[in-house]
Amino acid sequence: MSIKSVKVRMYKQLLGDCFLLTVEGEEGKPTYVLIDCGILQNVDGAKERMIAIANDIRDTTGGFVDLLIVTHEHFDHVSGFVHAKDILLDPDIVKYGEVWMAWTENPDDDRARELRQSFNDRKLAMTNVALALGESGHGDLVNPMLQDLQKFIGPLEPAPTGLSVAPQGRLTVARVMDEVKKAAAKVAYQLPGAVTAIPGKASLPAAILAPPKIDSRLFKDLPSKGDARETYLAEQHLQFSLLGLDPDGDGTALDRATPFAPRFSKNLEPNADSATKWGKEKGNARAWVHAHYFAQHDAEHRDQHYRMIDDVWAGSASSLALKLDSDTNNTSLVVAFRLPDGKFLLFAADAQVGNWLSWHDQSYALDGETLSASDILSRTILYKVGHHGSHNATLKAKGLELMVDPDLSAMISTVETIAEEQGTPPGWQMPYDGVRNELLRRCKGRVLRGDRMWASDDDTKPYRPDASFQGRLDEAHDLYVELQVYPREKTRKAKKGKGK
């Protein structure tokens, strides 16, 4: 069947992913593809918003979703099935023809079982760390970090001190994955390099780019150091030390941000009395050490508290949590849909460095062509920006710089104000400035965000208005923004938006 139009709907104000594709043929019912459905845990009004989105999905699809793609096991991608389970997991309200998941979710794959066991072991380890610290009176050090981790992996069980546990009857992430499988008539576990077609009368071919099968790709979360850095990450900042991050992977970021290499550091302040004494003894070594390594911010001193290593032991738990989060992101199922004109829609989920690199490890046989990842990227006209625009989820030379199509647009499922409130100050940068600026330049301002109206976005104003783009854009709804990606030469009257 020939394709009449293809539209992509991004649900807004989530800091999570939820996308609905509508593929309309010349006749008959359109084909609907739902890609993830989630919001970050503990966001105010999360349940109400996801219920409203679930109702919109039901109304738009008539209660039948031809294909549901669940990209990976993170709460901000599946929590819609928790908050709105009475709609999305009730077969009398919404049915699913087929579900796609990554090969890492396949219960019959030996390596997939090993990976899931490893992830579960690490989740249990984090729970036990929090329990032990809570009992020893140090839970305040690690619980905030674990609470951030919960926002992605869902509630930890048993409940560490001060942390929430899934109430009876509430779905945890692992249970969501199982329930979603039960809800579909067919479940397919996709392998990298595969080419398949979405189910439904109005169908599109799809290339499966990831997740990788090779461990060296699967566990490469952060960019390489120096000139080999693959992402738009700028020179390291002090925040990497504060967050326990090591972007170079060799400890140099921590060394640059602390007075001594961490392995040689020691606490020079045995008690508060000595600190007071040191501060009063002017003109000696102790006074100098106090001023440069202990003094809090005042008229005379700048804050040196970050140099203290009293609680550095808690950093290992933080690093474990961050690694678990990133490794799960790298299991993201990445799909590129081919349009009738040969262009592609790229949905990168939360793929990080190794996942992106692995796209280039295989070729893709599509409609009589053997394409490389570079070919697909060069023909991409819509990029669903990876991991809400974070610093290590969009590659440069092997990623965005290959997206050279003049019609390139982007969608970022971010809520910047919520991201800034997460984690250790200064919060999460989503979108990261380097990624955002390059997207705006390459897309000529055709960047749609989950927290802004495109028509009133100050970032897009410096670019000359694109009449075709505006004609294909519908942002008249509070819940979502929708873009017609095929055909692109036809325009319709742009609607004035009322959303936030």
Side-chain angles (χ1 to χ4, degrees):
M1 175 187 293
S2 59
I3 303 300
K4 182 178 179 181
S5 70
V6 180
K7 299 174 184 177
V8 179
R9 179 174 298 183
M10 175 176 67
Y11 290 97
K12 301 176 67 175
Q13 301 295 335
L14 298 179
L15 197 59
D17 272 12
C18 189
F19 293 83
L20 183 65
L21 276 65
T22 301
V23 185
E24 187 178 3
E26 293 296 339
E27 58 184 26
K29 178 183 178 294
T31 294
Y32 296 102
V33 180
L34 179 62
I35 305 175
D36 289 333
C37 188
I39 187 171
L40 190 71
Q41 188 166 330
N42 297 329
V43 172
D44 289 342
K47 183 178 181 67
E48 293 75 14
R49 188 154 194 88
M50 292 314 304
I51 289 175
I53 288 172
N55 283 325
D56 184 76
I57 292 170
R58 176 203 61 198
D59 294 343
T60 302
T61 65
F64 187 80
V65 176
D66 297 86
L67 173 62
L68 168 62
I69 298 177
V70 181
T71 61
H72 64 297
E73 195 173 315
H74 261 167
F75 199 78
D76 60 323
H77 289 251
V78 301
S79 59
F81 299 100
V82 176
H83 296 304
K85 63 180 180 180
D86 293 339
I87 301 170
L88 296 176
L89 291 179
D90 184 338
D92 293 330
I93 299 177
V94 178
K95 293 182 173 64
Y96 305 94
E98 194 167 325
V99 169
W100 288 1
M101 293 183 178
W103 67 267
T104 50
E105 301 296 332
N106 188 349
D108 297 324
D109 186 297
D110 291 341
R111 181 57 181 142
R113 287 199 300 270
E114 292 175 0
L115 287 172
R116 287 199 304 277
Q117 185 61 53
S118 173
F119 290 171
N120 288 336
D121 288 346
R122 282 189 273 171
K123 291 176 188 178
L124 180 60
M126 296 311 306
T127 304
N128 290 335
V129 165
L131 286 170
L133 289 171
E135 292 172 358
S136 66
H138 293 288
D140 59 319
L141 295 173
V142 177
N143 277 0
M145 173 271 297
L146 286 177
Q147 287 168 341
D148 287 339
L149 179 62
Q150 279 194 114
K151 292 170 183 176
F152 294 102
I153 69 173
L156 297 167
E157 300 181 272
T161 303
L163 297 182
S164 62
V165 67
Q168 186 176 5
R170 181 178 175 185
L171 297 178
T172 61
V173 174
R175 287 173 57 202
V176 167
M177 303 295 275
D178 291 338
E179 292 299 318
V180 165
K181 293 176 186 179
K182 296 176 185 176
K186 178 182 177 182
V187 180
Y189 301 100
Q190 301 293 351
L191 291 165
V195 174
T196 185
I198 65 174
K201 289 186 177 180
S203 182
L204 296 174
I208 309 301
L209 276 61
K213 294 283 286 186
I214 304 171
D215 282 2
S216 60
R217 299 294 201 202
L218 200 58
F219 297 114
K220 182 174 176 55
D221 308 317
L222 296 173
S224 302
K225 63 180 181 179
D227 294 338
R229 185 172 293 125
E230 298 92 349
T231 70
Y232 290 91
L233 184 65
E235 184 59 31
Q236 317 309 326
H237 302 293
L238 174 61
Q239 67 189 55
F240 293 127
S241 176
L242 296 175
L243 293 173
L245 296 176
D246 183 12
D248 289 349
D250 59 1
T252 56
L254 293 179
D255 286 356
R256 288 196 295 271
T258 52
F260 311 112
R263 62 186 178 277
F264 298 130
S265 300
K266 63 183 296 185
N267 188 354
L268 299 176
E269 182 188 9
N271 55 60
D273 290 339
S274 64
T276 302
K277 179 180 179 182
W278 288 4
K280 292 179 179 179
E281 294 180 4
K282 302 294 183 181
N284 60 34
R286 285 187 174 184
W288 185 92
V289 170
H290 171 72
H292 287 79
Y293 296 103
F294 298 104
Q296 301 302 300
H297 180 77
D298 55 31
E300 187 176 353
H301 305 111
R302 62 191 179 94
D303 188 358
Q304 304 291 343
H305 183 69
Y306 75 92
R307 298 179 185 268
M308 298 293 291
I309 64 168
D310 299 62
D311 304 324
V312 72
W313 52 270
S316 59
S318 179
S319 296
L320 177 60
L322 289 165
K323 180 64 174 169
L324 173 59
D325 172 50
S326 295
D327 286 350
T328 305
N329 282 338
N330 251 2
T331 66
S332 289
L333 176 60
V334 178
V335 182
F337 301 96
R338 181 165 176 160
L339 297 172
D341 59 3
K343 305 297 186 179
F344 285 90
L345 314 176
L346 175 62
F347 286 81
D350 284 357
Q352 299 192 357
V353 176
N355 188 304
W356 279 75
L357 292 174
S358 75
W359 306 353
H360 299 268
D361 292 341
Q362 63 264 330
S363 59
Y364 309 87
L366 276 150
D367 296 336
E369 286 187 281
T370 299
L371 301 179
S372 65
S374 297
D375 294 328
I376 291 174
L377 290 169
S378 70
R379 303 180 193 181
T380 293
I381 55 95
L382 179 70
Y383 168 38
K384 197 296 294 185
V385 180
H387 199 224
H388 322 295
S390 70
H391 69 278
N392 61 327
T394 297
L395 259 59
K396 293 176 62 178
K398 290 197 172 183
L400 189 53
E401 290 180 359
L402 294 173
M403 300 183 202
V404 296
D405 194 284
D407 285 339
L408 180 65
S409 301
M411 288 181 167
I412 312 179
S413 54
T414 190
V415 185
E416 190 169 5
T417 55
I418 293 177
E420 290 172 346
E421 297 171 354
Q422 310 305 314
T424 305
W428 303 339
Q429 282 196 33
M430 293 179 173
Y432 179 71
D433 285 346
V435 174
R436 180 199 62 187
N437 293 338
E438 189 64 12
L439 283 169
L440 287 165
R441 188 179 73 82
R442 289 188 171 273
C443 296
K444 300 179 179 64
R446 296 185 294 261
V447 177
L448 304 174
R449 292 177 49 153
D451 58 351
R452 295 181 182 179
M453 298 289 294
W454 180 84
S456 57
D457 186 349
D458 288 339
D459 286 346
T460 67
K461 288 181 179 179
Y463 299 88
R464 185 170 59 184
D466 183 328
S468 172
F469 176 77
Q470 294 181 69
R472 295 182 283 112
L473 178 63
D474 179 1
E475 53 178 356
H477 308 270
D478 289 326
L479 277 181
Y480 63 81
V481 58
E482 188 169 70
L483 181 67
Q484 179 178 303
V485 293
Y486 177 84
R488 292 176 303 284
E489 65 276 8
K490 295 180 180 179
T491 62
R492 52 189 170 80
K493 187 177 179 180
K495 299 180 180 180
K496 295 182 179 180
K498 61 177 181 178
K500 298 179 180 179

